[in-house]
Amino acid sequence: QYVFLIKNEEDGLQGDWMCFGIYYTSVVMYKAFALNMFWLLTVVIMHSFTDNFYAISPRESHHRDAIGTPHMGPVPRNRFTMIMMAIVFLSYAAWLCMAMIVVGPIVAVFLPVLLLPALVLPIIATHYVPMMVARVVEGLEYCLGIKRNDVTTTSVQLEEKEKQQLQEVTLVLKASVTQVF
């Protein structure tokens, strides 16, 4: 009769289907359920991780023990633990399906609102705007007949300077190696 310390009156919850859905979907976060359920889920995830991670290990000490428990597994591998893990997994999968039915419309409405300022605008500002400015500048230079010889000569000069510095470093290294031997 009490969930979240909110009394469920005799005539039931008041509201539309979204109120009912949010109410029953959020029951999982109630402290009496959440601590136990998340602990069980953590054990299931740890067992799956150790099973997959150490299964490909070449070390002999990382292989399964005699009953099939993976190395560093949180629980022994037997029928009881496998059935319990399946029950935990299936109950979480059922809750996730129910939660997605309820939360899905909300996500569909608000995800574009969140993605626009958080993802789309930064990508446009950091990638596409500079690229378009560079293309506009190139188009204006082409239309106005401006030649950029100074840029090509400076890039050639930089390449020559880098080659010269590389040769100097090579000579210093050769000299130091010959002094050692």
Side-chain angles (χ1 to χ4, degrees):
Q1 192 175 12
Y2 287 96
V3 178
F4 294 127
L5 302 177
I6 299 173
K7 186 173 182 184
N8 189 356
E9 299 295 330
E10 293 161 3
D11 57 347
L13 291 171
Q14 300 296 320
D16 59 354
W17 69 274
M18 196 63 127
C19 293
F20 285 101
I22 294 293
Y23 183 80
Y24 289 118
T25 300
S26 61
V27 163
V28 177
M29 297 301 142
Y30 181 51
K31 205 182 302 182
F33 299 127
L35 295 176
N36 298 325
M37 292 176 73
F38 285 123
W39 177 79
L40 287 172
L41 185 62
T42 303
V43 170
V44 170
I45 290 170
M46 284 173 50
H47 192 279
S48 299
F49 172 77
T50 56
D51 188 21
N52 291 326
F53 184 74
Y54 289 114
I56 59 174
S57 175
R59 289 189 180 176
E60 190 64 36
S61 63
H62 289 175
H63 292 286
R64 297 175 183 270
D65 63 3
I67 61 172
T69 304
H71 178 68
M72 304 280 293
V75 291
R77 183 183 176 107
N78 54 31
R79 287 186 180 148
F80 176 73
T81 56
M82 292 294 110
I83 290 171
M84 290 307 295
M85 281 195 248
I87 290 170
V88 168
F89 174 75
L90 291 175
S91 60
Y92 268 103
W95 174 79
L96 183 65
C97 290
M98 184 182 136
M100 286 312 296
I101 291 170
V102 173
V103 181
I106 297 170
V107 170
V109 169
F110 288 107
L111 191 63
V113 174
L114 296 174
L115 283 181
L116 186 67
L119 185 68
V120 175
L121 292 178
I123 289 174
I124 289 172
T126 59
H127 181 69
Y128 290 110
V129 170
M131 184 175 64
M132 292 183 62
V133 167
R135 289 193 179 184
V136 167
V137 168
E138 287 177 3
L140 286 174
E141 287 176 349
Y142 179 75
C143 289
L144 297 174
I146 299 173
K147 294 184 180 180
R148 298 182 63 179
N149 291 336
D150 55 344
V151 175
T152 56
T153 56
T154 55
S155 64
V156 171
Q157 290 171 351
L158 286 173
E159 287 178 12
E160 291 296 326
K161 188 175 181 181
E162 287 176 359
K163 285 181 185 178
Q164 183 182 7
Q165 289 175 346
L166 185 63
Q167 289 175 351
E168 290 174 2
V169 170
T170 306
L171 288 174
V172 169
L173 287 174
K174 284 181 182 178
S176 62
V177 169
T178 54
Q179 288 179 357
V180 170
F181 292 110

